[in-house]
Amino acid sequence: MSHILQTLRNNKPLVIGLVVAPLGLYSGMKIKEWRNERKVHDIKREVAATATQAQPALSSADEIENELQGLRGVRDTLIRKESTLDQELESIHIKLKRLDEQEASKPSK
């Protein structure tokens, strides 16, 4: 036993290496795990930020779609009114033509 202790005392760099190497490996693995967890956390944060920024864009797209639907409704209403006005104008034109014909058929004094 004393021979083993003497050998260990004479080979201090070897003993230090045997103690430090596993600790170094362990701490290296822990640092790697921590970095991976940090990267995952950063990615999740970026995804959340992107989703938050994308939400107004989606709602503004919905608003645009709603406004477009409203404008289509207004356009349809204007087309119907235009059609009604065309019919009224045609009716007035026919009435004026009849009046002109009646005026022409009346005997002049």
Side-chain angles (χ1 to χ4, degrees):
M1 182 78 161
S2 68
H3 178 64
I4 295 172
L5 291 175
Q6 186 63 32
T7 305
L8 290 175
R9 285 189 189 128
N10 290 340
N11 294 310
K12 285 183 185 177
L14 179 63
V15 172
I16 292 173
L18 290 173
V19 172
V20 171
L23 291 175
L25 288 173
Y26 177 77
S27 62
M29 289 172 40
K30 286 297 182 183
I31 289 172
K32 185 176 180 181
E33 288 175 11
W34 178 81
R35 285 181 180 163
N36 287 339
E37 289 172 4
R38 190 74 193 151
K39 285 179 185 177
V40 168
H41 176 72
D42 290 344
I43 291 170
K44 285 181 180 179
R45 190 176 60 214
E46 288 177 19
V47 167
T50 303
T52 303
Q53 292 172 354
Q55 190 65 25
L58 291 176
S59 65
S60 66
D62 291 340
E63 290 172 6
I64 290 170
E65 184 63 32
N66 290 338
E67 188 171 340
L68 183 60
Q69 290 294 339
L71 290 173
R72 285 180 182 150
V74 169
R75 181 193 66 191
D76 293 343
T77 302
L78 289 174
I79 289 172
R80 284 192 298 274
K81 284 183 179 180
E82 181 184 26
S83 175
T84 303
L85 288 174
D86 284 344
Q87 290 172 355
E88 289 178 11
L89 185 60
E90 185 65 30
S91 173
I92 291 171
H93 181 68
I94 292 171
K95 288 177 183 177
L96 286 174
K97 204 175 201 184
R98 285 184 190 156
L99 283 174
D100 286 343
E101 290 173 357
Q102 284 178 357
E103 286 290 321
S105 68
K106 278 187 183 179
S108 338
K109 290 186 184 178

